[in-house]
Amino acid sequence: MRLAFLIPPMMLLAACGSEEKKADEGTQVSINAGGDGGGVKIRTGKDGGNLKIGGEGVAIDVDIPDFVDLDIESDFDIDGVKLYPGSKVTKVDVDASDKGGADKATVKLGFTSPAPPTKAADWMAGEFAQKGVKVTRSGDTLAGKDKDGADFRINFAPDGANAKGEVVITKV
């Protein structure tokens, strides 16, 4: 299975975080990676989740503890550009496949920012410019291509006086 390299980091993630959090603080994480030889699925939320690994002679189905202690905000960046300061990642969905020799992946991150959409989009556009990453802008949506050739789009929408949004990174 070509995606087997994902298993050790996913197992480490599954072992993280046993500290109590408020019910609304948990980041939902969904990882779906498959290939011709099998696949890996992880689903988690504030109350824990499940890890399934299947393929050529392998069948693992394990309940895993809550791992909301992941510091996704600090770890996330696109070519060195992080989310607007103080932003919180609320959801992570990863869908990857190497079926038929075609590597494809889509990563979606939901987030909230402590600034209005235009201010958060302006800040991130400025950060991309400083890093030499070309982005196009349509309203409060930024789009571009990272140094590895993956397309990305960052959408900002109003959430009261602040912003909520989604980052979508696609590699085909």
Side-chain angles (χ1 to χ4, degrees):
M1 174 187 329
R2 289 176 49 195
L3 294 170
F5 69 92
L6 292 171
I7 295 170
M10 287 190 269
M11 294 301 286
L12 288 173
L13 290 176
C16 294
S18 58
E19 185 178 311
E20 283 191 37
K21 294 273 189 175
K22 292 181 188 172
D24 62 349
E25 286 187 23
T27 300
Q28 296 179 4
V29 178
S30 171
I31 299 172
N32 183 24
D36 292 332
V40 176
K41 291 184 184 214
I42 297 178
R43 303 282 183 264
T44 72
K46 64 180 178 65
D47 296 322
N50 184 266
L51 166 67
K52 292 182 181 184
I53 302 172
E56 304 167 8
V58 176
I60 299 173
D61 189 345
V62 179
D63 288 331
I64 54 178
D66 170 16
F67 63 80
V68 296
D69 288 343
L70 286 174
D71 191 2
I72 296 169
E73 291 86 10
S74 293
D75 294 336
F76 172 78
D77 73 75
I78 298 174
D79 292 344
V81 176
K82 297 198 175 283
L83 291 172
Y84 183 86
S87 294
K88 298 290 179 199
V89 174
T90 58
K91 187 174 183 177
V92 178
D93 289 319
V94 178
D95 192 5
S97 171
D98 70 353
K99 292 182 180 175
D103 290 331
K104 295 189 236 178
T106 300
V107 177
K108 295 181 181 179
L109 285 90
F111 66 90
T112 59
S113 289
T118 300
K119 182 176 180 179
D122 287 345
W123 183 86
M124 287 194 75
E127 292 294 303
F128 281 118
Q130 287 181 10
K131 299 286 185 186
V133 178
K134 183 179 179 186
V135 295
T136 57
R137 185 165 178 174
S138 176
D140 292 328
T141 297
L142 305 175
K145 192 174 285 279
D146 72 11
K147 67 179 178 187
D148 296 324
D151 294 317
F152 67 87
R153 185 182 72 250
I154 306 169
N155 304 313
F156 297 89
D159 186 24
N162 299 322
K164 64 180 176 183
E166 181 180 58
V167 176
V168 179
I169 303 169
T170 307
K171 181 179 181 193
V172 286

